[in-house]
């Protein structure tokens, strides 16, 4: 059984690869630039050309694949790349697709990024192929994008207010994905994936402060302040999608906690304090 992994050099994908390596199963990474995969993940990784926008490339990459881990950089209002992979997989006789979606994608009206993921979920479910949908909450690794202001000012900024979010570490998502890809019994199921607790940004700032032996303060900012700050670094659609996500945070939509990670992997997911200790060097 050959597994094709997409998005392998991303936040979660590299942990999927690490888990598959540990399990000693056959897999191949599909990427636009296979040589870069080897630079990031190691020279022994089998990587093949895969261009989401090139049907011939998709067909070649799937020649021996029976299962696919599908992760694409979808942009609102649609994700044609994910749908192209699904179409190619169906034609190639792929047996099972494990799709990385997002927590709350199945909630209506939800939020912009979740809506894009939901459209792909429905397209996959209508394809007739066996599917498993994983819906992780905010990645703890997203906090690394805030490390600059923590290092420079000792402050963590967000427009999510006092929202509680059951953030999850990327390595726990990767462990779930690898388990689902290499075991039976998860077909045609959807799993919301959360960390072990719902935390506020104030609690996250405290965890980072204790991990780095620094005074780290959480500063709640307005959407307009967030828009101005993010607008200097990101495309407009990304800024607006993230502001919509922050509003969904404030509504309590991402505060749910479950034990799906432990149920699937047999291990309790990492909490934010342990994660902060592990990544303390990034914040000093």
């Amino acid at each position: 059984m050959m597994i094709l992994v997409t998005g392998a050099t991303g936040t979660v994908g590299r942990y999927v690869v690490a888990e598959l390596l540990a399990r000693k199963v056959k897999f191949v990474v599909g990427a636009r630039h296979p040589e870069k995969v080897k630079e990031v993940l190691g020279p022994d990784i089998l990587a093949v050309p895969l261009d989401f926008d090139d049907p011939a490339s998709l067909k070649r990459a799937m020649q021996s694949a029976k299962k696919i881990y599908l992760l694409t950089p979808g942009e609102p209002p649609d994700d044609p790349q994910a749908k192209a992979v699904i179409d190619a997989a169906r034609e190639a006789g792929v047996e099972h697709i494990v799709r990385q979606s997002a927590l709350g994608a199945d909630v209506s009206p939800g939020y912009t990024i979740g809506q894009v993921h939901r459209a792909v979920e429905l397209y996959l479910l209508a394809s007739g192929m066996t599917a498993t949908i994983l819906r992780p909450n905010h990645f703890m690794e997203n906090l690394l994008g805030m490390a600059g202001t923590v290092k420079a000012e000792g402050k963590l900024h967000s427009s999510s207010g006092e929202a509680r979010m059951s953030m999850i570490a990327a390595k726990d998502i990767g462990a779930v994905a690898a388990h689902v890809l290499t075991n039976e019994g998860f077909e045609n199921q959807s799993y919301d994936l959360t960390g072990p607790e719902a935390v506020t940004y104030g609690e996250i700032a405290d965890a980072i402060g204790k991990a780095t032996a620094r005074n780290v303060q959480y500063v709640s900012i307005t959407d307009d302040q967030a828009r101005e700050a993010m607008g200097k670094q990101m495309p407009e659609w990304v800024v607006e999608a993230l502001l919509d996500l922050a509003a969904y945070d404030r509504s309590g939509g991402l505060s749910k906690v479950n034990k799906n990670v432990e149920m699937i992997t047999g291990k309790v997911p990492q909490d934010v304090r342990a994660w902060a200790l592990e990544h303390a060097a990034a914040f000093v």
Side-chain angles (χ1 to χ4, degrees), residues 83 86-87 89-90 94 97 120-131:
K83 293 177 180 178
I86 293 167
D87 290 342
R90 183 176 59 244
V94 170
I97 290 182
V120 174
E121 289 182 9
L122 293 174
Y123 195 82
L124 175 57
L125 294 174
S127 71
M129 284 186 293
T130 300

Side-chain angles (χ1 to χ4, degrees), residues 95-113:
E95 297 174 358
H96 187 187
I97 290 182
V98 179
R99 167 65 179 176
Q100 183 176 312
S101 184
L103 188 67
D106 57 333
V107 177
S108 183
Y111 58 101
T112 305
I113 297 171

Side-chain angles (χ1 to χ4, degrees), residues 187-207:
E187 298 83 2
N188 299 320
Q189 301 293 324
S190 299
Y191 298 95
D192 291 346
L193 304 179
T194 77
E197 60 186 338
V199 295
T200 66
Y201 272 109
E203 292 168 343
I204 293 167
D206 183 62

Side-chain angles (χ1 to χ4, degrees), residues 230-244:
M230 291 190 293
K232 299 173 183 177
Q233 311 169 52
M234 305 175 184
E236 182 179 358
W237 77 263
V238 176
V239 172
E240 295 305 319
L242 291 177
L243 290 174
D244 190 33

Side-chain angles (χ1 to χ4, degrees), residues 105-256:
D106 57 333
V107 177
S108 183
Y111 58 101
T112 305
I113 297 171
Q115 291 163 359
V116 176
H117 279 295
R118 183 57 175 167
V120 174
E121 289 182 9
L122 293 174
Y123 195 82
L124 175 57
L125 294 174
S127 71
M129 284 186 293
T130 300
T132 305
I133 296 169
L134 305 180
R135 300 192 186 107
N137 204 342
H138 287 292
F139 307 158
M140 291 182 189
E141 281 69 15
N142 292 345
L143 297 168
L144 297 174
M146 304 177 180
T149 54
V150 174
K151 287 189 285 189
E153 306 171 18
K155 294 179 180 178
L156 192 69
H157 299 87
S158 174
S159 61
S160 292
E162 299 305 315
R164 289 196 170 275
M165 303 152 291
S166 52
M167 286 187 168
I168 183 170
K171 68 179 180 182
D172 288 320
I173 306 169
V176 169
H179 190 89
V180 170
L181 285 164
T182 56
N183 289 274
E184 304 298 320
F186 302 98
E187 298 83 2
N188 299 320
Q189 301 293 324
S190 299
Y191 298 95
D192 291 346
L193 304 179
T194 77
E197 60 186 338
V199 295
T200 66
Y201 272 109
E203 292 168 343
I204 293 167
D206 183 62
I208 294 172
K210 289 178 178 175
T212 58
R214 299 180 63 203
N215 179 24
V216 179
Q217 296 180 322
Y218 168 53
V219 180
S220 180
I221 60 175
T222 66
D223 281 347
D224 286 340
Q225 289 172 316
R227 181 181 286 108
E228 181 179 359
M230 291 190 293
K232 299 173 183 177
Q233 311 169 52
M234 305 175 184
E236 182 179 358
W237 77 263
V238 176
V239 172
E240 295 305 319
L242 291 177
L243 290 174
D244 190 33
L245 178 56
Y248 193 68
D249 286 341
R250 296 192 299 267
S251 76
L254 297 177
S255 63
K256 65 186 292 185

